[in-house]
Coordinates of all heavy atoms in Angstrom, one line a residue:
Chain F
F103 N 90.7 98.2 107.5 CA 91.3 97.1 106.6 C 90.6 95.8 106.8 O 90.2 95.1 105.9 CB 92.8 97.0 106.9 CG 93.7 97.3 105.8 CD1 94.3 98.5 105.7 CD2 93.9 96.4 104.7 CE1 95.1 98.9 104.7 CE2 94.7 96.8 103.7 CZ 95.4 98.0 103.7
A130 N 77.4 97.1 102.8 CA 77.4 98.4 103.7 C 78.7 98.4 104.5 O 79.3 99.5 104.7 CB 76.2 98.5 104.5
S145 N 93.2 111.7 109.2 CA 93.5 112.2 110.6 C 95.0 112.2 110.7 O 95.6 113.2 111.2 CB 92.9 111.3 111.7 OG 93.4 111.7 112.9
T261 N 99.6 145.5 102.5 CA 99.5 146.5 103.6 C 98.5 147.5 103.4 O 97.7 147.8 104.3 CB 100.9 147.2 103.9 OG1 101.4 147.5 102.6 CG2 101.9 146.3 104.6
P266 N 95.1 140.7 95.7 CA 94.4 140.3 94.4 C 94.4 138.7 94.3 O 95.3 138.1 94.9 CB 95.2 140.9 93.3 CG 96.6 141.0 93.9 CD 96.4 141.2 95.4

Side-chain angles (χ1 to χ4, degrees):
Chain F
F103 246 99
S145 173
T261 43

